[in-house]
Amino acid sequence: VSCLCGSAPCLLCGCCPSAKNSTISRLLFTFFLFLGTLVSIIMIIPGVEKELHKLPGFCEGSGSVLGVQTHIDCSSFLGHKAVYRMGFAMAAFFFLFAVIMVCVRSSKDPRAALQNGFWFFKFLVLVGITVGAFYIPDGTFTSVWFYFGVVGSFLFILIQLILLIDFAHSWSQLWLRNAGESNAKGWYAALCIITFIFYATSVAAVVLLYVYYTKPEGCTEGKVLISINLILCLIISVVSILPKIQDAQPHSGLLQASIITLYTIYVTWSALANVPVQSCNPTLLVRNSTSSAMATQPLTTWWDAPSIVGLIIFILCTLFISIRSSDHPQVNKLMLTEESAAGAGGEAAAAGDGLHRAYDNEQDGVSYNYTFFHLCLLLAALYIMMTLTNWYRPDERLQVLMSPWTAVWVKICSSWAGLLLYLWTLVAPLVLPDRDFS
């Protein structure tokens, strides 16, 4: 009972090495997010999806749209509805904790005990919200919640870019530091090889995008979007190795640019996979149920290649959010995290008595912003909701799922925003020479 009602360390004290209380709490909240994601994936498996109509009140066969009664064939998008309601439940759960944890400064705050403990009751709250979400009536909910998902996914893609930029800088600095300390050329060779692989993969991906998502005649939008992002990636690659940039930031280089380029090409691919023109999108027929051949058996499958890659990136980024604290002060300020020295005494005590346990490292100040962390998980829940549904939404008749142009432009704009963000990290020391960008 004490473990279920007490702090996070109690749950894991017997099986993990000495760890920070804050890290374990973040991992457990992330586990809740992954658990909701797993449930969403299970619900869109075709065999399970067909059974969802048995849930009481989940598929009544009709609904009210803008006050007008319409007959809805719920069987055509049961999995879609289930994922949206699961996404709503997770988002509501993390929004609740984001509000509760506003302005918590240390673990001595009474609300910090709620952040770091009572996990059994938190699970019950999440289950309760989920059950309630499945009783949300049909109507404007799906249409309205789609735009919440679009905005949240856009913001989470930007967070992914920030984490990716930070990871690329840390990776480059580590290998360059190892090369300098050991005076071994192998580190430089490895750096060059990895950079070449990333660029080669990006070039191959661009070629495949031109081959499969464009046609000699037509598909102008796809050609323009691929070309623009290719040019922007070339620009940031050239800027990253300019002499003035190298003088201001000696650790900047092609490794970071190659990683950002590869991610940008992925986002471009994901955007083109939502183009609602069948001749320009070879994956549209697989994921859409509008063709006459498939009309008798509508599908809402999500496991196409862009969604699988997006799911993997989502898992890595959310784990990174949970355990990270950057070496770069500017990134920590942006992500509202910091290395706290408050837990040094607890760490020494845990090591001194030889016990494997977690310790409170936030007595003098929190090591991360509780509210911002929950908002990040909220955005992650919206992102995975949109990923599992392929950013599709029901048409005006609420009979079949369709891919809107909104999804294409949101993804493309997020790739442009990410490239501009990375370009700013390169030129900021030159534009603002009086500020510390170390």
Side-chain angles (χ1 to χ4, degrees), residues 59-364:
C59 183
E60 299 294 345
S62 64
S64 175
V65 180
L66 300 179
V68 180
Q69 288 295 122
T70 59
H71 291 285
I72 302 174
D73 181 15
C74 292
S75 61
S76 63
F77 56 98
L78 277 175
H80 187 277
K81 286 180 56 177
V83 172
Y84 264 49
R85 280 153 177 77
M86 195 67 217
F88 174 83
M90 291 190 293
F93 175 78
F94 292 119
F95 178 77
L96 174 64
F97 278 91
V99 173
I100 293 175
M101 298 300 162
V102 171
C103 296
V104 175
R105 302 302 182 190
S106 77
S107 61
K108 297 178 182 179
D109 190 306
R111 291 175 294 170
L114 185 60
Q115 170 75 9
N116 298 318
F118 300 97
W119 296 101
F120 178 71
F121 296 103
K122 289 176 185 175
F123 178 75
L124 292 182
V125 169
L126 178 59
V127 172
I129 296 176
T130 302
V131 172
F134 275 80
Y135 283 93
I136 297 177
D138 289 316
T140 59
F141 170 77
T142 301
S143 300
V144 173
W145 194 241
F146 170 82
Y147 289 102
F148 275 92
V150 165
V151 175
S153 299
F154 175 84
L155 296 176
F156 188 73
I157 291 175
L158 293 184
I159 291 176
Q160 288 180 338
L161 258 297
I162 295 172
L163 297 176
L164 195 63
I165 293 171
D166 177 42
F167 171 76
H169 279 295
S170 300
W171 186 1
S172 177
Q173 287 187 12
L174 176 62
W175 282 19
L176 290 175
R177 188 184 308 119
N178 291 340
E181 292 176 355
S182 61
N183 198 22
K185 296 182 179 180
W187 290 105
Y188 293 108
L191 204 61
C192 293
I193 293 173
I194 294 296
T195 302
F196 174 78
I197 291 175
F198 285 157
Y199 273 121
T201 304
S202 300
V203 171
V206 169
V207 173
L208 292 175
L209 290 181
Y210 276 118
V211 171
Y212 288 102
Y213 290 92
T214 64
K215 300 293 181 182
E217 297 180 0
C219 302
T220 304
E221 297 89 352
K223 296 175 183 177
V224 171
L225 296 178
I226 297 172
S227 301
I228 289 176
N229 278 4
L230 178 60
I231 293 172
L232 292 176
C233 289
L234 290 175
I235 291 175
I236 65 169
S237 298
V238 172
V239 171
S240 67
I241 57 175
L242 291 176
K244 290 186 177 180
I245 299 296
Q246 289 291 310
D247 292 339
Q249 297 194 71
H251 293 291
S252 67
L254 290 178
L255 176 63
Q256 297 94 313
S258 67
I259 294 177
I260 300 303
T261 297
L262 185 59
Y263 182 80
T264 300
I265 299 304
Y266 157 71
V267 176
T268 307
W269 173 35
S270 180
L272 295 177
N274 278 111
V275 172
V277 181
Q278 184 173 342
S279 60
C280 302
N281 183 1
T283 62
L284 188 65
L285 181 62
V286 177
R287 298 181 295 153
N288 207 337
S289 59
T290 58
S291 65
S292 58
M294 301 178 64
T296 58
Q297 189 178 6
L299 298 176
T300 55
T301 54
W302 63 272
W303 43 80
D304 60 343
S307 296
I308 293 174
V309 176
L311 179 62
I312 295 173
I313 295 175
F314 155 78
I315 293 174
L316 294 177
C317 284
T318 48
L319 284 176
F320 200 41
I321 291 172
S322 300
I323 63 177
R324 69 178 293 284
S325 185
S326 176
D327 295 331
H328 302 279
Q330 297 299 327
V331 176
N332 281 330
K333 290 179 182 179
L334 187 60
M335 297 297 294
L336 302 182
T337 58
E338 60 181 321
E339 279 292 342
S340 174
E347 183 176 10
D353 57 20
L355 295 178
H356 287 178
R357 66 184 185 184
Y359 58 91
D360 186 3
N361 66 313
E362 298 181 313
Q363 294 181 2
D364 297 329

